[in-house]
């Protein structure tokens, strides 16, 4: 990010749009934050947490009127609160307003947030506020229980004192972000209820759509707004859900919650930087950030000046690459995209069926490189079509003596502790990897093999008269021996990284490790745990949330959005 202004900053107000907050990214993180900035705030219902008495006591102590700050006697009061809390049949009888539906959390001080989130742990890690809001929104979820939320959401219509923050959400595509470009037929790893956004459980939405005969559609054009009042126990049971259903839910959520006025889709952000206009109108002197971009459909540029910028673009914009010569020069048979691979597989089947009429011909195997879930999806897609697979991945058999943060993670590592009955397809791929292919005729594992290069040209698939023109890949095995394989296509699926090209140096310097690129798992953007403000930014007012800061599950983004809301409310100057 640039630390000084340039000549283009003097365009004048006619070309500049002023906003309090600009959110970059319209995926679930951006949607969730927009919902809160639109005046929808969380309230604690007053019900006890079913498995954490201390959290319940802290909630009652922190939300009790008069406890605006933390005191040295807080621990003593919490202990006293815990001792007599459970002697009452209804914990809300201790002053919770039934009419208001609980006590507001948005007015919490930093001290209260630190107190509330103290001691919380998650099965898969997480920042303190991410864990806190997850415990309130999905109590006991890691224990497999389906317990009603301890949060209720109140709008500005219900509570006029709620402040609506003027903001805009910029996205490359339709609301839902990268979910709109994924294979709609793949099942999510997370259960359906974990994919829900505030105040509308995805299972309730599914039942609503079913009743309107719109289930499994990616675009819902009804002009009427739905209202749904089913209790959580009337929802469907928790189970995995298709990506297409999740994408449709996120898009429809924006419409149902009347957030469309805050969304500007089909845009590309080209620059986020600080401003330093000495002659700017005094009434607008706090608008210290400039966001530039253009409309994808018209090409028309735009500029926003704002008090705060929120980075919520996720981490799946760009595919990781091996860096081998020829990796990007053979697009007809080398891909880094699962959707493109499936199209290629269908083309291979069509081509094979046409050739069978003339002469018997065997489809060469596809090569899948990677050991993550996308690689597993690719293997399953090929085997479903009867296409043989070569699978190259790093060998993790000798990783036992390494520190946890240096170990190579495989599919099995990511699913460890989860029941095979819920994820049978991924556990089957792990069995194939462990077996090596002995008992699976259409699969061969290449653990620890190193890819040396590609051989082929763009006419490989148009000329099938000679094997010498078909794609060939060369590997070195763990013992140093060289092997060559004829393949029909190559899928390099070794993870993704965020596109932060709109930041200076692609955001390098903002992460936990200042000299490395931003990565949601190994080097997330370094933010304050209770405000989500970027700690290494050149000026105050830059925030990040979601996978960019390591909150890699939808169920965890609520904490980051809540932290930003609270910080904005507590630091905004009265108007």
């Amino acid at each position: 990010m640039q630390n000084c202004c340039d000549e283009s900053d003097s365009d004048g107000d006619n070309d500049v749009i002023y906003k309090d907050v600009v959110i970059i990214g319209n995926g679930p993180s951006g949607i969730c934050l927009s919902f809160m900035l639109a005046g929808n705030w969380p309230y604690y219902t007053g019900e006890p947490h079913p498995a954490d008495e201390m959290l319940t006591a802290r909630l009652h102590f922190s939300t009790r009127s008069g406890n605006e700050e933390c005191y040295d006697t807080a621990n003593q009061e919490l202990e006293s609160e815990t001792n007599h809390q459970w002697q009452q049949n209804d914990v809300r009888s201790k002053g919770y307003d039934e009419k208001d539906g609980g006590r507001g959390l948005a007015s919490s001080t930093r001290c209260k947030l630190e107190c509330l989130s103290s001691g919380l742990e998650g099965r898969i890690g997480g920042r303190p506020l991410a864990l806190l809001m997850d415990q309130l929104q999905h109590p006991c979820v890691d224990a497999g229980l389906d317990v009603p939320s301890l949060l209720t959401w109140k709008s500005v219509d219900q509570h006029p004192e709620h402040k609506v923050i003027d903001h805009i959400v910029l996205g490359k595509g339709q609301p839902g972000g990268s979910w709109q470009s994924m294979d709609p037929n793949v099942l999510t790893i997370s259960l359906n209820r974990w994919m829900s956004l505030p105040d509308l459980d995805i299972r309730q939405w599914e039942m609503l759509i079913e009743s309107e005969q719109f289930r499994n559609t990616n675009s819902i054009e009804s002009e009427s707004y739905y209202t749904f009042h089913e209790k959580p126990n009337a929802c469907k049971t928790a189970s995995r859900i298709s990506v297409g259903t999740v994408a449709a839910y996120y898009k429809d959520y924006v419409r149902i919650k009347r957030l469309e006025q805050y969304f500007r889709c089909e845009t590309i952000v080209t620059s986020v930087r600080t401003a330093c206009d000495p002659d700017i109108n005094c009434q607008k002197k706090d608008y210290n950030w400039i966001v530039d971009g253009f409309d994808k459909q018209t090409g028309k540029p735009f500029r926003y000046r704002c008090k705060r910028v929120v980075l919520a673009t996720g981490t799946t914009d760009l595919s990781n690459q091996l860096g081998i010569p020829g990796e990007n020069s053979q697009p007809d048979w080398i891909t880094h995209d699962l959707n493109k691979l499936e199209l290629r597989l269908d083309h291979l089947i069509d081509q094979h069926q046409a050739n069978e009429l003339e002469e018997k011909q065997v489809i060469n195997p596809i090569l899948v490189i990677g050991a993550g879930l996308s690689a597993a999806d690719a293997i399953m897609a090929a085997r479903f079509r009867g296409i043989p697979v070569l699978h190259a991945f790093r060998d993790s058999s000798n990783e036992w003596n390494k520190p946890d943060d240096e170990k190579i993670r495989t599919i099995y590592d990511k699913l460890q502790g989860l029941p095979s009955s819920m994820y049978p397809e991924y556990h089957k791929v792990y069995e194939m990897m462990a077996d090596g292919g002995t008992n699976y005729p259409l699969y061969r594992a290449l653990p620890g093999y190193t890819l040396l290069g590609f051989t082929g040209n763009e006419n490989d698939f148009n000329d099938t008269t000679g094997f010498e023109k078909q794609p060939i890949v060369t590997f070195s095995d763990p013992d140093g021996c060289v092997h060559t394989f004829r393949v029909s296509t190559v899928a390099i699926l070794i993870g993704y990284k965020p596109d932060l090209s709109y930041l200076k140096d692609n955001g390098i310097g903002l992460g936990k490790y200042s000299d490395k690129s931003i990565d949601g798992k190994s080097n997330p953007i370094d933010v304050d745990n209770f405000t989500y403000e970027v700690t290494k930014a050149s000026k105050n007012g830059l925030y990040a949330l979601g996978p960019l800061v390591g909150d890699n599950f939808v169920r965890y983004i609520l904490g980051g959005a809540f932290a930003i809301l609270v910080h904005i409310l507590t630091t905004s100057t009265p108007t």
Side-chain angles (χ1 to χ4, degrees):
M1 289 164 294
Q2 299 175 5
N3 294 322
C4 59
C5 50
D6 53 35
E7 294 181 358
S8 63
D9 288 341
S10 58
D11 291 341
D13 286 354
N14 291 334
D15 299 320
V16 178
I17 304 172
Y18 285 84
K19 293 288 181 181
D20 287 340
V21 179
V22 172
I23 303 171
I24 303 175
N26 64 356
S29 296
I31 296 172
C32 185
L33 179 57
S34 177
F35 175 73
M36 295 190 197
L37 296 183
N40 302 287
W41 295 359
Y43 283 71
Y44 171 48
T45 63
E47 296 289 346
H49 190 284
D52 194 333
E53 295 182 359
M54 288 303 298
L55 175 57
T56 301
R58 292 197 301 271
L59 284 165
H60 279 273
F61 173 77
S62 297
T63 57
R64 184 190 303 158
S65 59
N67 290 335
E68 302 302 329
E69 297 293 341
C70 297
Y71 303 95
D72 293 336
T73 59
N75 289 334
Q76 297 177 0
E77 293 200 30
L78 280 174
E79 183 177 357
S80 175
E81 181 99 11
T82 304
N83 289 336
H84 72 268
Q85 195 84 63
W86 314 114
Q87 298 175 5
Q88 304 178 47
N89 293 328
D90 186 356
V91 295
R92 286 179 297 180
S93 64
K94 290 185 64 62
Y96 282 87
D97 190 337
E98 295 282 356
K99 181 179 180 180
D100 287 346
R103 296 289 179 84
L105 297 175
S107 59
S108 300
T109 63
R110 181 188 180 99
C111 185
K112 283 186 178 181
L113 296 180
E114 292 177 349
C115 176
L116 286 172
S117 58
S118 175
L120 296 180
E121 296 181 355
R123 179 178 57 82
I124 48 179
R127 295 178 182 272
L129 281 188
L131 294 175
L132 171 64
M133 297 304 285
D134 183 52
Q135 286 287 335
L136 297 179
Q137 184 73 4
H138 308 110
C140 302
V141 67
D142 287 330
L145 302 181
D146 193 356
V147 180
S149 173
L150 300 180
L151 296 176
T152 184
W153 297 85
K154 301 297 180 181
S155 68
V156 68
D157 294 332
Q158 297 168 298
H159 289 265
E161 70 275 13
H162 288 188
K163 184 177 181 180
V164 177
I165 308 297
D166 185 24
H167 68 281
I168 191 72
V169 182
L170 304 176
K172 293 181 179 180
Q174 293 301 305
S178 61
W179 288 90
Q180 301 296 347
S181 60
M182 297 180 188
D183 185 344
N185 300 311
V186 173
L187 294 179
T188 61
I189 292 297
S190 299
L191 299 180
N192 49 10
R193 67 186 299 251
W194 299 2
M195 313 306 297
S196 299
L197 297 178
D199 202 36
L200 180 62
D201 191 295
I202 193 171
R203 296 170 295 174
Q204 296 177 350
W205 176 83
E206 275 195 288
M207 294 177 65
L208 177 64
I209 297 305
E210 284 180 355
S211 67
E212 298 292 336
Q213 299 182 349
F214 284 134
R215 187 181 183 186
N216 294 328
T217 59
N218 289 327
S219 177
I220 302 170
E221 304 296 342
S222 174
E223 295 181 357
S224 62
Y225 289 99
Y226 299 123
T227 56
F228 194 77
H229 302 289
E230 290 277 4
K231 295 181 180 180
N233 59 11
C235 295
K236 294 183 174 183
T237 57
S239 61
R240 295 169 67 190
I241 190 172
S242 72
V243 167
T245 301
V246 176
Y249 162 73
Y250 289 149
K251 182 177 180 180
D252 205 34
Y253 181 94
V254 172
R255 184 188 61 79
I256 293 173
K257 295 302 179 182
R258 307 191 182 192
L259 302 176
E260 293 165 307
Q261 60 181 309
Y262 301 110
F263 279 70
R264 184 171 182 176
C265 302
E266 305 296 334
T267 64
I268 297 293
V269 173
T270 57
S271 174
V272 174
R273 54 198 171 90
T274 57
C276 55
D277 287 344
D279 300 325
I280 193 170
N281 188 316
C282 292
Q283 295 180 348
K284 298 180 179 179
K285 63 181 180 180
D286 294 332
Y287 293 79
N288 293 320
W289 290 90
I290 297 176
V291 178
D292 289 319
F294 63 89
D295 187 283
K296 290 172 61 177
Q297 297 179 340
T298 65
K300 183 178 180 180
F302 60 77
R303 169 168 293 180
Y304 288 93
R305 292 199 67 153
C306 55
K307 299 177 181 178
R308 310 169 198 263
V309 177
V310 180
L311 309 180
T313 52
T315 57
T316 60
D317 291 308
L318 303 174
S319 300
N320 289 331
Q321 300 196 4
L322 295 171
I324 295 177
E327 185 174 357
N328 294 312
S329 61
Q330 310 284 355
D332 286 341
W333 58 277
I334 300 177
T335 183
H336 299 80
D337 183 84
L338 183 60
N339 290 338
K340 291 181 180 179
L341 172 65
E342 294 209 48
L343 293 175
R344 179 61 196 158
L345 295 178
D346 290 336
H347 177 70
L348 286 175
I349 293 297
D350 293 340
Q351 188 180 55
H352 177 66
Q353 292 175 346
N355 290 338
E356 276 188 334
L357 299 177
E358 302 175 3
E359 58 179 306
K360 188 174 182 180
Q361 189 175 18
V362 178
I363 299 179
N364 285 331
I366 71 163
L367 170 64
V368 177
I369 301 176
L373 300 179
S374 294
D377 289 332
I379 293 169
M380 290 184 287
R383 287 177 55 80
F384 176 77
R385 294 168 173 82
I387 299 175
V389 177
L390 292 174
H391 183 200
F393 54 92
R394 294 183 294 181
D395 186 8
S396 61
S397 60
N398 60 350
E399 298 290 303
W400 64 271
N401 60 343
K402 292 185 178 181
D404 287 342
D405 59 348
E406 296 181 6
K407 289 183 178 179
I408 296 173
R409 301 298 179 186
T410 65
I411 297 168
Y412 182 75
D413 295 322
K414 295 179 180 180
L415 294 176
Q416 192 172 21
L418 298 179
S420 59
S421 59
M422 186 176 295
Y423 304 92
E425 70 276 37
Y426 293 117
H427 281 272
K428 175 60 68 175
V429 172
Y430 170 72
E431 291 177 4
M432 294 163 57
M433 293 170 65
D435 176 81
T438 303
N439 297 309
Y440 299 91
L442 294 178
Y443 175 85
R444 178 179 176 182
L446 304 175
Y449 279 53
T450 301
L451 182 63
L452 300 179
F454 308 98
T455 303
N457 60 60
E458 61 182 8
N459 296 319
D460 289 330
F461 295 112
N462 297 324
D463 186 354
T464 58
T465 59
F467 283 119
E468 69 277 7
K469 288 190 176 182
Q470 293 184 359
I472 295 176
V473 293
T474 304
F475 280 96
S476 172
D477 67 20
D479 296 325
C481 298
V482 176
H483 303 264
T484 59
F485 302 93
R486 292 190 180 94
V487 297
S488 56
T489 191
V490 176
I492 303 172
L493 303 171
I494 54 175
Y496 302 90
K497 58 185 177 182
D499 180 6
L500 299 177
S501 57
Y502 53 85
L503 297 177
K504 182 181 179 181
D505 298 328
N506 292 302
I508 295 178
L510 299 181
K512 180 179 179 181
Y513 304 103
S514 299
D515 58 337
K516 296 183 179 180
S517 299
I518 299 300
D519 182 276
K521 296 178 181 178
S522 62
N523 190 37
I525 293 179
D526 194 16
V527 296
D528 184 288
N529 279 337
F530 295 94
T531 67
Y532 278 63
E533 192 169 20
V534 179
T535 59
K536 298 179 181 178
S538 59
K539 185 174 290 188
N540 292 338
L542 183 65
Y543 302 80
L545 79 160
L548 285 175
V549 301
D551 291 339
N552 293 305
F553 292 87
V554 173
R555 54 184 276 204
Y556 279 171
I557 64 176
L558 184 59
F562 175 67
I564 295 173
L565 169 69
V566 171
H567 191 245
I568 290 176
L569 293 177
T570 55
T571 58
S572 296
T573 55
T575 56

